[in-house]
Amino acid sequence: LICPPDYFQIEYEINPWMHQENRADPMLAKKQHNRLLGIYEQLGLQVQHVEPKPGLPDMTYAANFGFLYRDLFIRSNYRYHQRRKEALFAEYVLFENLVCSSP
């Protein structure tokens, strides 16, 4: 799963590394995202895109959505309510793609 950093920003503080005064650089985030996507594509990895949602600035951390094993998605149970909707959106995207791509 990969999600572009369209809304990535530090809007709240839920861990010791997050400080709202440390603003993200949107241009740099987009450049880093595109570089990572290019690497995935060069490696021949199957990439599933998840559309970012306003109000969910951490969706760019797609590895945190959950764990995918074959056709089973085990959704993350985020500790902080600010992040809980991210996994729901990822689950929906995966479900739609698994159902629509089934023979």
Side-chain angles (χ1 to χ4, degrees), residues 39-46:
I39 291 169
Y40 286 169
E41 291 171 346
Q42 286 177 351
L43 292 171
L45 299 177
Q46 181 181 351

Side-chain angles (χ1 to χ4, degrees), residues 14 18 25 29 38 40 43 69 97 99-100:
I14 58 175
M18 295 177 77
D25 178 343
Y40 286 169
L43 292 171
Y69 178 73
N97 284 305
V99 169
C100 294

Side-chain angles (χ1 to χ4, degrees), residues 1 61-68 73-80 83-91:
L1 294 174
Y61 298 110
N64 298 69
F65 294 157
F67 182 77
L68 181 63
F73 179 66
I74 302 168
R75 186 179 66 219
S76 291
N77 183 18
Y78 288 104
R79 178 178 183 182
Y80 298 101
R83 299 207 56 202
R84 291 186 185 145
K85 287 184 183 177
E86 297 172 32
L88 294 173
F89 284 118
E91 183 176 46

Side-chain angles (χ1 to χ4, degrees), residues 20-38:
Q20 288 182 304
E21 66 271 8
N22 295 339
R23 306 301 294 165
D25 178 343
M27 297 293 282
L28 178 59
K30 189 69 169 175
K31 182 178 178 181
Q32 291 171 336
H33 170 82
N34 290 337
R35 188 178 318 135
L36 180 62
L37 181 58

Side-chain angles (χ1 to χ4, degrees), residues 6 13 19 46 61 66:
D6 295 1
E13 297 178 15
H19 302 287
Q46 181 181 351
Y61 298 110

